[in-house]
Amino acid sequence: MNNAVAGFSKLSKEEKINWIAKEYFSTPSEAIALLKNYWNSDEKIQKLHDEFIENTITNFYIPLGVAPNFLINNKYSAIPMAIEESSVVAAASKTAKFWSTRGGFKATVIDTEKIGQVHFIFKGDVSKLELFFVQTKAKFFSETESITKNMQKRGGGILDIVLKDKTDLLPNYFQLHATFETKDSMGANFINSCLEQFAKTLREEASIYELFSVTEKNIQIVMSILSNYVPNCLVRAEVSCPVEELKEKHILNPTAFAERFVQAVQIAEVEPYRAVTHNKGIMNGIDAVVLATGNDFRAVEAGIHAYAARNGKYTSLSHAKTENGIFTFWLEIPLALGTVGGLTSLHPLVKLALEMLENPSAKELMQVVAVAGLAQNFAALRSLTTTGIQEGHMKMHLNNIINQFEANDDERILIHKYFKKNTISHSAVVDFIENLRN
């Protein structure tokens, strides 16, 4: 394919697929058949999915699983998880069951403040800009009233607006730094609409401000956009129990286990190479629930990883300690989530997932998501400090390898029987299958 295509977005769905199949695939008919095989048979549902994004050609499936038995703040929940990685749902479920008999998870929302900024260039006397801002601040609120009216009825709105001098970072760079409460919506459109009005007001009011020179009146708006870094939109999840209650099949010496567990967390606190993998495990749980509930996992990822590096060094999101015979494991993370608006009111499976969670508020969903992350981290650390991470993971991965080689029912029985007692690796499974067939 050496030629660009003109007007691709204007082609029908069928035309897009036919063009792609012809230009990029050696067997176009097979490519077309595969794409259409993943269409929903219900035309109304398929049309809904087609319109979520642009240039849609098919649906890309990710399994939706359920992790039951999560006791959160003395109430049981079954948590929906959308993820393709094997062992994640199993690990979450196992951890939920483990802690359900040890007091369960405790979760608390610390704050729900979200942030947006108007980035602008001002060339002139900073003291005059500061005076201008003080005299104009009320107008930023009054001229966004049509935008904030409904949000205010729900108890949200603009919390504050401050002028920030960032000229130590870039010449002539300033911000309007605004904080928001968006209640049960994630609030991206609301925040960005407010910010764009702030920018308009800033530009218009500056152009007629008598104390500004001609140059100072010419404020240059660079951009107006929310921030996905929300360090004051925090939730805490925690588990704790007497050390002796940690005992189970794989934890015969709970005191030694607690010591190794705390050491493993401490290593992630001081070693960035370990911290990244440690936090990735946390995000396995978080992303799966965020995706299942129609929220923006990319925004959540960006904000959480920025938070992990907020003190200038990337570190663990979770922490552990043993004091006075009590083992405690916890995390605090920023989470900007919504349960109304966007996909939450459009995607049928998102609506189902939220109903499964008994239609939570945004705060309640924050707690569920944080707990899922903590559970996943506990499962990983328990494996790492006892049997090793690969034993459970490879058992789950075994099915993927079997499916890859399209093993029949008789072969599956023999494969599972053999690898109950033998080490699982991709090469070992492939060799065993080839030997069976030869």
Side-chain angles (χ1 to χ4, degrees), residues 246-263:
L246 293 169
K247 189 172 182 178
E248 60 151 4
K249 183 172 67 173
H250 294 299
I251 305 173
L252 300 178
N253 186 334
T255 301
F257 167 76
E259 182 179 347
R260 285 196 303 273
F261 192 101
V262 171
Q263 288 171 341

Side-chain angles (χ1 to χ4, degrees), residues 266-283:
Q266 289 172 338
I267 289 169
E269 289 173 335
V270 301
E271 170 51 65
Y273 282 90
R274 171 57 197 149
V276 170
T277 308
H278 178 93
N279 290 345
K280 186 269 180 184
I282 294 173
M283 299 313 297

Side-chain angles (χ1 to χ4, degrees), residues 13-23 28 32 36:
K13 184 177 172 181
E14 289 273 3
E15 289 170 336
K16 289 185 180 82
I17 290 172
N18 290 337
W19 181 82
I20 288 169
K22 178 184 175 183
E23 295 293 336
I32 292 170
K36 290 187 175 181

Side-chain angles (χ1 to χ4, degrees), residues 60-66 81-93 276-288 291 301 376-377 379-380 389-390 392-400:
F60 189 91
Y61 291 175
I62 290 178
L64 178 65
V66 178
M81 305 180 80
I83 190 166
E84 85 299 340
E85 184 172 332
S86 61
S87 79
V88 169
V89 177
S93 301
V276 170
T277 308
H278 178 93
N279 290 345
K280 186 269 180 184
I282 294 173
M283 299 313 297
N284 279 343
I286 289 173
D287 284 350
L291 187 57
E301 282 269 1
Q376 204 64 38
N377 196 209
I389 199 73
Q390 285 300 88
H393 181 76
M394 290 309 293
K395 282 181 180 178
M396 297 297 296
H397 189 52
L398 178 59
N399 284 330
N400 291 340

Side-chain angles (χ1 to χ4, degrees), residues 28 31 53 93 114 156 179 187 202 212 236 271 305 345 381 397 432:
I53 61 169
S93 301
K114 295 167 187 173
T179 50
L202 176 65
F212 280 164
R236 178 186 173 101
E271 170 51 65
H305 289 303
S345 58
L381 290 169
H397 189 52
F432 186 80

Side-chain angles (χ1 to χ4, degrees), residues 87-119:
S87 79
V88 169
V89 177
S93 301
K94 188 175 181 180
T95 300
K97 186 176 180 181
F98 179 92
W99 283 106
S100 69
T101 59
R102 295 165 174 83
F105 294 83
K106 301 293 183 284
T108 309
V109 173
I110 298 169
D111 205 344
T112 55
E113 178 185 282
K114 295 167 187 173
I115 293 168
Q117 298 165 319
V118 177
H119 305 269

